Amino acid sequence: SISRGAAMVVLLRVSALALAMTSGRRLPSVATALGRRAAMPLAPVASLGPSSPARRARALMSDAGAGGINIPAHCEGKIREGLQAEEVKVEAAYDDPNGSHISIYCVASAFEGKSRVQRQQLVYKHIWEELQGPVHAVDAMLLK
């Protein structure tokens, strides 16, 4: 007889196997199925559309890895331009050198009359491509 926890692991593995078989992705380990990050292969660039968000995010990641783009500065410029913000500051959080975790401070007239969630949505709209690639998380967001 197996425990309930062991049965759940078996169920997760069977579900992951079915997903892997239908999507062509590598099967994650048990630890991954229980919550650790998966090392899933990315689709080949040639299979992506000519201007798809995934293709643009992949290009940003390769440029960032080559030292070509400062991700926080890039995000700051996109937010400033998109919201016509009076003040924007985007910093790499936790002294993260590649900017995969960022903190955002922004003052914009576009936020007037908006709820906190609506303000965040406005900011996320302008950095959506970066969130699909080089930026893993926005750790703090102060919007005025």
Side-chain angles (χ1 to χ4, degrees), residues 57-118:
R58 177 85 51 81
L60 271 174
M61 286 191 317
S62 64
D63 287 346
I69 291 181
N70 178 332
I71 296 300
H74 181 74
C75 291
E76 188 173 309
K78 287 184 78 171
I79 293 168
R80 185 181 312 279
E81 181 182 319
L83 294 175
Q84 301 298 311
E86 293 91 44
E87 188 177 350
V88 179
K89 188 173 184 179
V90 178
E91 296 178 336
Y94 309 116
D95 296 323
D96 183 8
N98 61 10
S100 66
H101 287 250
I102 59 174
S103 295
I104 300 171
Y105 172 79
C106 182
V107 178
S109 59
F111 296 148
E112 289 181 29
K114 304 268 193 245
S115 71
R116 258 190 271 176
V117 171
Q118 290 170 327

Side-chain angles (χ1 to χ4, degrees), residues 16-17 42 47 60 62-63 65 98 119-120 131 136 138 143:
L17 178 60
L42 297 171
S47 69
L60 271 174
S62 64
D63 287 346
N98 61 10
R119 292 174 185 195
Q120 290 174 0
L131 289 168
H136 171 71
V138 176
L143 310 172

Side-chain angles (χ1 to χ4, degrees), residues 24-39:
R25 292 185 172 187
R26 185 174 39 182
L27 182 64
S29 67
V30 173
T32 298
L34 294 175
R36 287 202 198 142
R37 239 184 234 204

